[in-house]
Amino acid sequence: MSEATLAPADARAPRTVEDTGLPFLFLAELIAKVLQQRGQLRLPELASHLKLGMGVIDPLVAFLRTEKLCEIARIGNSGTDADLSYQLTDAGRQRAGAALARNAYAGPAPVTLAAYTAQVQAQSVAGVHVTRTAMESAFDGIVVNPHVLAQLGAAMNSGRALFLHGQAGSGKTYLAERLRDLLSGAIAVPYALMVDGEVIPFFDSVQHVPGEATLQPTGFDRGTAPDMRWVRGVRRPAALAGGELTLDMLDLRFDPNTRLYQAPPHLKSNNGIFIIDDLGRQRCTPEALMNRWIVPMDRNVDYLTLHTGHTFQVPFDVIVVFSSNFVPQRLSDGAFLRRLGYKIEVPEASSDEYGRLFRQACAQAGVGFDAAAFDYLLERHRERNVPLLACYPRDLLRQLRDLARYEDREAELSPRTLDWAWDNYFATGAPSGRSMDMERRDRGTMENDRCEIQEPS
């Protein structure tokens, strides 16, 4: 494969300043900022920090010395070049201070926006193929409705956004987070992006998690050494945002105090999944939040703006998963709903599924399972018209464990302890079943509260 056809992260390391795709003066200022923050550095230390080879660093340092911005300092007594380090002059410190005042980034050299766009396209999440076998493997040991499992598998192959809805506690968020395990293949992400002379930090050690043990190349200036400005072997990301999400968090933000940019979470989620949990509970309206996603979901691109006013286009290669207690028609109109590939309801568990969930919860809580006590619990669910939601076994057994600790004994499963946990958990002072009816009404599922779906004209 020729160099021209390789994805940017697979291409060899740049040998000259021109190969980086970055302006000469920008890189010279970046070196000055690094020296300003770190003091004296040897050339190998400078190259390692910037993730650039000596063939790129040498002419830049030579330029700084010619301009009297940088000087050599000797550390050590070996009498060799290994003793040489570089530091800024007074003029260099002034120049670096002015550069830091504009943009305080002083990390690894960035990649160009064009290179990043090409890399995202080369490792697109749309190319991931999910099979029934892969789905069953990813959800092995997890109790989930088979129909929902099939819907999720098909939805992942579509590459389009999906909407998970169901009652609170039905397991929507847990299922959404497990979807990342279906995204095969590692990706490469840059340390930073350069856009119109501005640097945007990109690599996030929390969101960009290494996958299988992958050794990053350590040598520089070797003919086959890859570009070290990319972090390779990263698992496809899965970001989660809940009720704290606001519209401004979805835009590029510049902190005037730190003089650094903050990339929005969906940009860092490219080639992966971005989960918006508890949709309808954000501080902005659901309509405003959903309208923000119409163009990216429709055209696979998004538009961000630098603090200088420059607007630019970035790839949007993300499977967006909306999760809500509300039915889709309650939150948006037909224009947005048409852009949702799948609208999947996560129902309450069947009696068999609830039993498997309860056995798993007993094992995790260290409580012995008792079939008669479990049958008693099922009867109480029926009497009180309380649905069999996935969260209840874990939550009720936690209460049994708390009670056992208080009484200084082993936790036991019995009608007495289940009644105690039930009364605490469901606040049984309310009329029987009323809270569940209210929840269904809030979700828009009651007959007298159904939303009319308008057909597109």
Side-chain angles (χ1 to χ4, degrees), residues 17 20 22-65 69-71 85-89 92-93 95-97 99-100 102-110 199:
V17 172
T20 66
L22 304 173
F24 186 95
L25 289 179
F26 165 80
L27 286 174
E29 279 195 345
L30 182 59
I31 289 178
K33 289 195 287 186
V34 172
L35 291 175
Q36 175 82 324
Q37 291 188 350
R38 297 192 57 183
Q40 295 180 346
L41 287 176
R42 295 182 174 88
L43 281 183
E45 295 171 333
L46 191 57
S48 177
H49 182 90
L50 294 173
K51 310 300 180 186
L52 295 173
M54 294 297 189
V56 179
I57 296 291
D58 281 337
L60 295 169
V61 172
F63 169 78
L64 292 174
R65 292 184 62 194
L69 302 175
C70 174
E71 61 188 5
S85 65
Y86 293 83
Q87 63 185 20
L88 296 177
T89 62
R93 283 188 284 273
R95 180 75 171 267
L100 287 167
R102 294 194 303 273
N103 188 307
Y105 181 81
V199 182

Side-chain angles (χ1 to χ4, degrees), residues 364-379:
Q364 293 170 358
V367 179
F369 179 79
D370 182 275
F374 178 71
D375 289 341
Y376 174 82
L377 176 64
L378 286 180
E379 182 60 29

Side-chain angles (χ1 to χ4, degrees), residues 184-208:
S184 58
I187 64 171
V189 297
Y191 283 101
L193 302 175
M194 181 180 178
V195 180
D196 196 43
E198 297 286 330
V199 182
I200 303 169
F202 188 88
F203 175 72
D204 186 331
S205 59
V206 174
Q207 194 162 330
H208 300 131

